Amino acid sequence: MAINRNKYLKPFKNIFILILVVFAVWMLFFDANSWLIHHELNTEIEDLENEKEYYIKEIEKDKKDLKKLSTDEGLEKFAREEYYMKRDNEEIYIIEYDDSLKTKNDE
């Protein structure tokens, strides 16, 4: 049994291998720039890049909406649909269906 244990411990008797192992463990787990911290930072960077892409798409969509609102027809359509505005000689009837109404159970 002692021979088998010596076989496994033989590489650790070499001071250079021992220092290399200690250095590798230190750099991977305990150092301020460890692999774990780099992994967390890389994950955060990916999340921020995904968020950046989302906001770029939202900005493009808002630019299209602003371009539509810059015309008189687009502005009138928006005012009619969102704020139920009307011309002086018009009347507006809002038709709501039962499935579109909010009830106390839905809230």
Side-chain angles (χ1 to χ4, degrees), residues 53-64:
E53 290 175 13
Y54 167 77
Y55 285 122
I56 288 174
K57 289 177 184 176
E58 288 295 315
I59 288 171
E60 291 298 321
K61 188 175 83 170
D62 289 344
K63 283 182 182 179
K64 289 178 184 176

Side-chain angles (χ1 to χ4, degrees), residues 29-48:
F29 300 108
F30 300 116
D31 192 46
N33 298 318
S34 70
W35 177 81
L36 297 174
I37 292 174
H38 276 284
H39 181 68
E40 290 175 13
L41 292 175
N42 287 338
T43 304
E44 187 176 342
I45 287 171
E46 288 176 12
D47 292 342
L48 290 173

Side-chain angles (χ1 to χ4, degrees), residues 65-80:
D65 291 342
L66 281 174
K67 194 171 187 178
K68 288 180 185 176
L69 289 175
S70 65
T71 63
D72 290 336
E73 296 86 21
L75 189 60
E76 182 178 349
K77 180 181 177 185
F78 179 77
R80 286 174 177 263

Side-chain angles (χ1 to χ4, degrees), residues 5-106:
R5 243 166 87 194
N6 263 348
K7 185 172 97 173
Y8 295 120
L9 295 177
K10 188 175 181 179
F12 292 107
K13 290 182 180 179
N14 188 342
I15 188 74
F16 297 112
I17 292 177
L18 185 62
I19 290 173
L20 180 66
V21 168
V22 169
F23 178 75
V25 169
W26 180 264
M27 292 306 288
L28 286 175
F29 300 108
F30 300 116
D31 192 46
N33 298 318
S34 70
W35 177 81
L36 297 174
I37 292 174
H38 276 284
H39 181 68
E40 290 175 13
L41 292 175
N42 287 338
T43 304
E44 187 176 342
I45 287 171
E46 288 176 12
D47 292 342
L48 290 173
E49 286 175 352
N50 291 336
E51 192 174 332
K52 178 183 172 184
E53 290 175 13
Y54 167 77
Y55 285 122
I56 288 174
K57 289 177 184 176
E58 288 295 315
I59 288 171
E60 291 298 321
K61 188 175 83 170
D62 289 344
K63 283 182 182 179
K64 289 178 184 176
D65 291 342
L66 281 174
K67 194 171 187 178
K68 288 180 185 176
L69 289 175
S70 65
T71 63
D72 290 336
E73 296 86 21
L75 189 60
E76 182 178 349
K77 180 181 177 185
F78 179 77
R80 286 174 177 263
E81 289 176 357
E82 296 295 321
Y83 296 107
Y84 306 118
M85 293 185 171
K86 64 181 183 95
R87 292 188 181 144
D88 292 334
N89 57 356
E90 288 182 334
E91 288 193 26
I92 296 178
Y93 297 100
I94 300 173
I95 301 172
E96 293 182 351
Y97 297 101
D98 290 335
D99 59 351
S100 67
L101 295 175
K102 288 186 178 178
T103 61
K104 289 183 180 179
N105 296 338
D106 292 340

